[in-house]
Amino acid sequence: MSLSLRSAVRLNLILLLIPVFLWLLLLIILPHIDMLLVSTQVKVRPRVYEFSFANYGEFFSEPLYWRTFARTAIMSIAATLLTLVIAFPVAYYIAKMLRGRMKSFLFLLCLVPFWVSELVRTFGWMILLRESGVFSNLFQWIGFADGPVEMLYNDATIMVGLIYTSMLFMVVPLVTILDSLDDSLVEAGYDLGGNAFTVLRTIIIPHAMPGIVSGCIVVFMLTLGNYLTPVLLGGKDSLWFTAQIYTQFITRFNWELGAAFGFLLLFLSSMIVWMGLKLSRQTLTETMG
Amino acid sequence: MFIKKGKLLTGIMLGTGLILTTLQTNAETLRLLTWGGYAPEKVVEMFKAETGIKVEVTNSNNEEMISKLRATGGAGFDLAQPSQDRIAGAQSEYEIYKPIDLSKVDASKFITSMLEGTKKNTTVDGKVYGVPHVWGTSALTVNTKVAPDVKDYLDLCNPKYAGKVSYRMKRPTLIAFAFAMGLDPFAAYGDTTSYKMIMDKVEAKLIECKPNVKAYWSGGDALINLIRSDEVVAAMAWDGSGWKVNAEKPEVKTIAPTSGALGWIDTFALPKKTKAENAAYQWINFVMRPEIAAMITEAAGNFTAAKDGDKFVEESKRMRFQETFPAAAIDNIKWYPPVPAGLEDMEGKVLDRVQAAK
Amino acid sequence: MTEQGPGGGHAPSYDLECRNLVCRFGDFVAVNDVSFGVPEGDFFSILGPSGCGKTTILRMMAGFLQPTSGDFLIKGKSVIDMPPNRRPINMVFQHLALFPMMTVAENIAYGLLRQGINRIDARKKVEDALERIGLPGSGEKKIKQLSGGQQQRVAIARCLVLEPAALLLDEPLGALDLKLREHMKVELKKMQDQFGTTFVYITHDQSEALVMSDHVAVMNQGRFEQIGTPQDLYYQPATAFVAGFVGDTNRWQGRVESVDRDTVKVITQDGVQLLATAAGGEALSQGSQVEIFVRPEAVVITLESERITSQDNRITGELISVLFNGANSRALIRDRHTGGELDVALPQTGEFSHLQRGQEVHLGWSLAHAKAFIQKESGG
Ligand SMILES: Nc1ncnc2c1ncn2[C@@H]1O[C@H](COP(=O)(O)OP(=O)(O)OP(=O)(O)O)[C@@H](O)[C@H]1O
Ligand SMILES: [Mg+2]
């Protein structure tokens, strides 16, 4: 009887999981297998393709491609760290200093950027930062600048745009984790002789580590996969790997190379996340649980 | 936890999106893949009133059109509008179009020379794949007060205008610079090695010119904004963009470069798996009526291949056209011949390297 | 208030001294003019009902809360402007606040390292401390792997290794189950003897305070009602609140009929006449509303009325029930006339263990054991 009960439970579990598996299979695994197959094709003549890993070789042999990737990865890491540095005090303030309505208000404030689409948001930045834009005129009016100031089209602007877009995804896990930090732990840290820095280093950060890591993973992946912000704000020098993939797929009709790039992005970014987890001595289950 | 929810949401949205699109195509509709301004709302309404057919407009550009149709094997749209030079190559490589049944197109509504030229350029294996619709050029848009001495594409590299010029990072720019440098890329279309040599020279020139560029423009509206706000004083652009700004800012003019404007013709082509072929022919014959063609000229900023279409266009528009293109300049327009398959790979690499150069 | 120059020199030198501490939250006065001193090595408890302001006092002493006014001195020096991490006193939190991200040893070493002690010395001290609290070799364990009582000891050891001038404990036994609490009471007292540190101990449980403390302050609504030894509080309560809060007691309310020096004759609300001793240091006069307190063990219980003729107060009642608890057995008696209930301690001889429900008993007590306090509008 207990045996049949157990098998019934198992059957239920299987039934419950079927949609999940189907969804995984149809929307994630199958397209990726297809992509993988495409990425190993090389065009020899129009309409004639051959199996080869030349597309992957191309990534490493053409400096443009791997440099673009390296640049994208480094800027994404920098954007992630900067977002963390900015979001941490904000999250700490929301989680620990505020109560009641102010708390939800500030939390909502972090959501504001998401009330409009990414495109509109990016155009907003462009209106503010362009040479004939709001800030430029303001600076001239105040007297900070003699002529129009161009603030668009450089890496710093890309950074600002990326951080702005990522804030929420860092603040939410941080607030959640800091909320769960017992105030008395912080007080005990001080009471036993710690100063602000040691309390932060030995108590608050270790406690917040799972939140920090999960926030960083999300922000890193979002930034790495961002397309509009770097392309629109970056101008003529904006080399972003997703833009390269887009170019290969859409303007070059080179699906094979684009697919290979897609896989390299997936693989290399997973490697970076894995290294990040190793460095911070966290496990994926800890962070996502 | 965060990631999972995000994905679930996208999954749900994808799902509902699929359901919605399948529902929508049930009515008699024409799914049109075209350029901004080529199917103004008013024309779409008039067409619906006359035929009962609903037109669903998707704005796009040459590369996206080809990519979209390639991805579906020519399905998803009933009528597309690629440029005439981009049809033959794409057709021979990806087989995304269906031949045009010329008996269903009212040839009398077209300017004959344009119809014949397009037919010739879009013929693959003896079958015609395109008929002309809107035509125009890539030329120079110049603020004549600030940059009166910009006469040809190479003048954009004049250090005087450093940080104040713009062009696209697309193949027309490569072709235009080649002509301006005294080379003839169209003559080299059939010969990969000499075309490569031309492209190498153009690449060097564009890299040298790069510091002059404020931003590579990508959409017509973005460029118009740059010009209107004086952030850019000279650009290689579609002639229609310059004319639009000219209406409110007379010092901005479209100028035919001394080495010749690059002439393009956007066509009508049938995607291979079109589901509303009849509606497509009806649309073609409808928009080629001179008075409708004039409305499209108003919206798109460029003239059409419709016979007498320009008669219904505002006088000021025709004046602007004549100012840019005196008779000699029209003769000097370089019309794009069909792009042989494979050239675009080479051009792509050139564009990549220019983009990456410091 | 006495002014004190640097270096002290004031008569009884206290380890810790609070002077006229006041703490307001908006209009609400959480701590109202509290002054007390704790001698070195003392086990000092603050006893009071929930919400009376105990934690608030402790937080002001630890430095987490700036008093609205008043002063706090450690060994004669004012530390009111010193941040918590510089004050030479430590706190054991209500829920211990052990650092879950560290091992037991790291928890104990935390404060030592903050003092700049090198790692080798710190490790030695940690091992000593673990030895002393009976957890040798548990240094590498995670906090979660310890039992409640063990965690308790680690939390205290973590503070005591720093050799603080005093240890502040905020209801540290509150989270433990009853059995362990009884055990830890003894442990705590032992630890305090062992380390010889001054303890300031907060509790709302009067038995904890009475068992462990050298001195107890009874607190009510932000004020100290009385400070004294447990015996003082039990036998000489200064206020009605203390008499009611410390230990079990029977109480009556009534009006003073006549006063003869310390002795008052009171008519209770039920019309019973009782004799009592005036307490609380306030003058009673005819007509004063008073409350009378009588401890259960002060009441003599007998089956024969003639055995209590010598008592000042006598009542006849019937037994409701016997609450058997070994040596601490009690009887619940209903007054025949008034219907009021009385709590009476049964003699340890066991002669009353066979009392029947409803059986008639006679109760008596002397006026010395009946304390009359002026009745205030509000009370515990
Ligand atoms: N930060 C604060 N703001 C406003 N009121 C407060 C604050 N902290 C404490 N109080 C109030 O002060 C009073 C005393 O609080 P306190 O924490 O000192 O009580 P306690 O005696 O420790 O009670 P318990 O035994 O329940 O811990 C309570 O009424 C509480 O509501
Ligand atoms: Mg408390």
Side-chain angles (χ1 to χ4, degrees), chain B residues 172-344:
Chain B
T173 310
L174 303 178
I175 308 280
F177 272 70
F179 276 116
M181 289 163 81
L183 307 162
D184 188 349
F186 292 164
Y189 258 22
D191 176 4
T192 330
T193 30
S194 54
Y195 194 71
K196 173 105 182 36
M197 271 162 57
I198 292 178
M199 282 302 125
D200 287 346
K201 287 182 190 155
V202 171
E203 180 184 329
K205 185 74 202 166
L206 285 174
I207 289 175
E208 181 195 322
C209 197
K210 194 174 179 187
N212 248 34
V213 178
K214 178 172 192 72
Y216 298 124
W217 63 271
S218 53
D221 290 334
L223 177 79
I224 286 176
N225 271 328
L226 286 170
I227 299 268
R228 200 185 267 149
S229 63
D230 287 337
E231 289 181 27
V232 159
V233 297
M236 175 181 167
W238 293 318
D239 47 15
S241 305
W243 291 331
K244 261 190 198 160
V245 182
N246 180 265
E248 48 186 280
K249 210 168 172 160
E251 68 267 31
V252 172
K253 292 201 166 119
T254 297
I255 290 175
T258 43
S259 60
L262 297 175
W264 46 261
I265 303 173
D266 290 335
T267 66
F268 290 112
L270 289 170
K272 192 166 168 207
K273 293 177 184 160
T274 172
K275 278 195 187 142
E277 206 174 331
N278 269 327
Y281 287 117
Q282 271 176 284
W283 173 259
I284 294 173
N285 291 325
F286 181 77
V287 297
M288 291 314 280
R289 291 180 197 163
E291 69 278 11
I292 307 286
M295 289 169 72
I296 290 175
T297 297
E298 291 293 334
N302 282 104
F303 289 88
T304 65
K307 207 176 267 173
D308 297 331
D310 56 341
K311 296 239 165 71
F312 293 86
V313 172
E314 253 180 65
E315 181 62 22
S316 62
K317 280 240 160 63
R318 263 181 294 167
M319 293 292 293
R320 280 191 202 108
F321 179 81
Q322 276 156 17
E323 193 188 353
T324 304
F325 293 112
I330 291 197
D331 291 341
N332 197 23
I333 291 177
K334 308 281 194 287
W335 298 95
Y336 286 105
V339 189
L343 275 197
E344 281 166 296

Side-chain angles (χ1 to χ4, degrees), chain C residues 240 251-254 289-293 371-375:
Chain C
R251 67 173 83 188
W252 290 266
Q253 294 176 350
Q289 283 292 330
V290 292
E291 241 178 326
I292 296 174
F293 296 87
K371 302 209 171 349
F373 292 91
I374 290 264
Q375 195 179 350

Side-chain angles (χ1 to χ4, degrees), chain A residues 47-109:
Chain A
R47 299 199 210 181
V48 183
Y49 294 88
E50 249 175 26
F51 177 85
S52 154
F53 286 112
N55 289 318
Y56 291 92
E58 176 112 10
F59 174 82
F60 294 101
S61 59
E62 169 67 62
L64 168 68
Y65 298 143
W66 63 257
R67 275 198 204 136
T68 304
F69 180 81
R71 180 186 137 86
T72 309
I74 289 169
M75 283 193 55
S76 298
I77 292 171
T80 306
L81 295 181
L82 279 171
T83 309
L84 176 64
V85 168
I86 297 169
F88 200 89
V90 174
Y92 192 83
Y93 188 72
I94 293 176
K96 288 282 159 226
M97 310 291 194
L98 294 180
R99 296 272 169 274
R101 284 174 63 187
M102 262 317 273
K103 190 167 180 161
S104 19
F105 174 74
L106 237 93
F107 215 51
L108 271 182
L109 216 60

